[in-house]
Amino acid sequence: MHIAYSAIANSSANQQQPGIHNETDNEMLLRYQAYQTTCDKYSREIAAIQKYIPGWVPRFR
């Protein structure tokens, strides 16, 4: 619930300042694309870890 509340609170706070909202969205998109690229690059290592810890995925920050 905390994650859902944080997402709603952040989106409503950003709607008050439209310029900041676009910059934040662009930054989050770039960070997510970098996360996906990194996961693809290290997919073998992730698979090796998942043998011992099923369902483990790198944390997105």
Side-chain angles (χ1 to χ4, degrees):
M1 282 309 272
H2 177 71
I3 294 171
Y5 175 76
S6 296
I8 293 170
N10 287 339
S11 66
S12 64
N14 287 338
Q15 288 177 355
Q16 295 171 355
Q17 300 173 353
I20 293 174
H21 183 67
N22 289 337
E23 292 174 15
T24 304
D25 284 348
N26 289 338
E27 180 184 344
M28 286 298 292
L29 179 62
L30 288 174
R31 291 175 62 197
Y32 183 69
Q33 288 173 343
Y35 172 79
Q36 284 185 319
T37 302
T38 304
C39 287
D40 290 342
K41 182 178 178 179
Y42 292 104
S43 62
R44 290 185 198 159
E45 289 81 358
I46 292 169
I49 292 170
Q50 288 177 340
K51 287 181 183 178
Y52 300 100
I53 307 171
W56 180 86
V57 291
R59 189 173 73 167
F60 176 70
R61 292 184 229 165

